[in-house]
Amino acid sequence: MEAGRQRQGRLWSNLKEVCDLLHIPAACSVNTEELLFQHVQFKTGQRVHTIGQIFDTLYIVNSGFLKTVLIDEFGNEQVLSFPMKGDMLGVDGIHTRHYSSEAVALSDCDVILLPFKKLTALGRVHQELEHLMYGVMSRELVREQAMIGMLGALSAEARVARFLMSLAERFAQMGYSPKLFNLRMTRHEIGSYLGLTLETVSRTLSAFNEIGLISVDQRTIGIKDPEALKNLRRLPPSRTRAKQQAAAKARSSESALATL
């Protein structure tokens, strides 16, 4: 964060910068310059917190990409979310005072530490700030509920389409291109998140590429027809798609010949 400052060899941000990152107004009753919050960097694959770890901190993503997961007794992962810039982690630890999920860096990340004792102490004095933070936590919950609703209501193809469009929207919010971006997560992780198999995710992305909704180059995704992706309910069978592609190629060839 450009506005961060160095102190004791580490990067820190004041409360206003943290509020800006969370897309909430800074509490007018708080002297934001006096409150500083430390940044911590994590390398790809490092864990920000683990399941069962004692809860004492909320985390705000300043840069980079992560995943949060549940892990069963057999070591199987269930991906819960893909946090990125402006998202808050660790809310699941408030109830039991232990984190119930694990947060893992999918890329090199910069995360701001928000000690919970410090936050609650501030909230007792500045209720305005407390309400704003509750709003951020509620926002995370609403996002999770929307995902659960989507999983139960949509076809496999529609789930993948909505996932790509939600990523495009998040990249746009961060100032990046919504039409060309890299997937930081694997197909397997996407499948775990969407309740699909790796094969289904790969097959669906290939089908989207074939009919011109997207372009795929390994992990690079190009969004070609965002409206079609937003409104997609289910893809036609592969035989029908093949006939449609053949007809489209034939029309293209005829058009080219007509211009000669």
Side-chain angles (χ1 to χ4, degrees):
M1 186 180 295
E2 292 180 3
R5 71 271 301 137
Q6 291 287 336
R7 178 180 168 186
Q8 297 175 341
R10 294 185 179 275
L11 187 65
W12 299 71
S13 288
N14 64 30
L15 181 60
K16 182 182 184 306
E17 292 158 356
V18 170
C19 290
D20 288 344
L21 186 59
L22 292 171
H23 300 292
I24 59 175
C28 299
S29 59
V30 185
N31 187 338
T32 61
E33 288 299 325
E34 291 182 357
L35 294 168
L36 293 179
F37 300 91
Q38 182 183 325
H39 292 232
V40 175
Q41 283 73 45
F42 293 89
K43 296 291 186 183
T44 303
Q46 284 188 312
R47 282 155 175 76
V48 177
H49 63 73
T50 58
I51 296 173
Q53 178 182 327
I54 294 175
F55 166 80
D56 58 3
T57 305
L58 295 171
Y59 304 88
I60 302 169
V61 184
N62 183 49
S63 66
F65 301 86
L66 303 97
K67 65 176 179 179
T68 60
V69 299
L70 291 176
I71 304 176
D72 65 20
E73 63 270 27
F74 304 107
N76 300 312
E77 284 189 0
Q78 170 63 54
V79 177
L80 302 175
S81 64
F82 294 111
M84 56 188 73
K85 185 175 181 178
D87 288 339
M88 180 182 285
L89 310 175
V91 176
D92 61 353
I94 295 176
H95 176 57
T96 63
R97 291 298 188 263
H98 290 81
Y99 297 105
S100 60
S101 64
E102 186 166 284
V104 185
L106 294 177
S107 68
D108 290 352
C109 296
D110 181 85
V111 177
I112 299 174
L113 308 185
L114 195 63
F116 194 64
K117 285 184 178 179
K118 189 175 185 179
L119 180 62
T120 52
L122 281 169
R124 285 192 291 268
V125 180
H126 306 282
Q127 288 193 349
E128 180 186 0
L129 175 63
E130 184 179 45
H131 293 159
L132 289 170
M133 287 300 172
Y134 284 155
V136 173
M137 296 175 194
S138 177
R139 185 173 67 197
E140 300 295 334
L141 178 61
V142 168
R143 187 178 294 164
E144 290 180 9
Q145 289 176 335
M147 173 54 62
I148 293 171
M150 182 184 79
L151 293 180
L154 299 179
S155 67
E157 298 97 334
R159 294 182 203 179
V160 176
R162 298 297 190 285
F163 174 71
L164 292 177
M165 290 311 301
S166 68
L167 279 182
E169 290 168 6
R170 293 300 304 277
F171 278 117
Q173 291 169 4
M174 292 188 289
Y176 301 124
S177 170
K179 294 187 176 181
L180 186 67
F181 50 83
N182 290 327
L183 296 176
R184 299 293 181 169
M185 62 291 293
T186 65
R187 266 71 165 164
H188 175 75
E189 289 165 338
I190 294 172
S192 176
Y193 180 57
L194 297 177
L196 304 172
T197 64
L198 164 66
E199 292 76 16
T200 299
V201 173
S202 297
R203 185 170 61 249
T204 302
L205 290 174
S206 296
F208 288 174
N209 181 66
E210 288 172 4
I211 62 178
L213 298 182
I214 65 172
S215 62
V216 181
D217 183 6
Q218 296 182 344
R219 289 198 179 190
T220 301
I221 300 294
I223 303 295
K224 292 186 172 182
D225 194 338
E227 285 303 314
L229 288 171
K230 285 179 183 178
N231 298 317
L232 187 139
R233 294 290 179 268
R234 191 179 299 276
L235 287 175
S238 56
R239 289 183 179 179
T240 303
R241 295 202 305 270
K243 289 180 180 178
Q244 290 173 342
Q245 288 177 315
K249 287 181 179 178
R251 287 194 298 269
S252 178
S253 297
E254 290 173 1
S255 176
L257 290 171
T259 58
L260 293 177

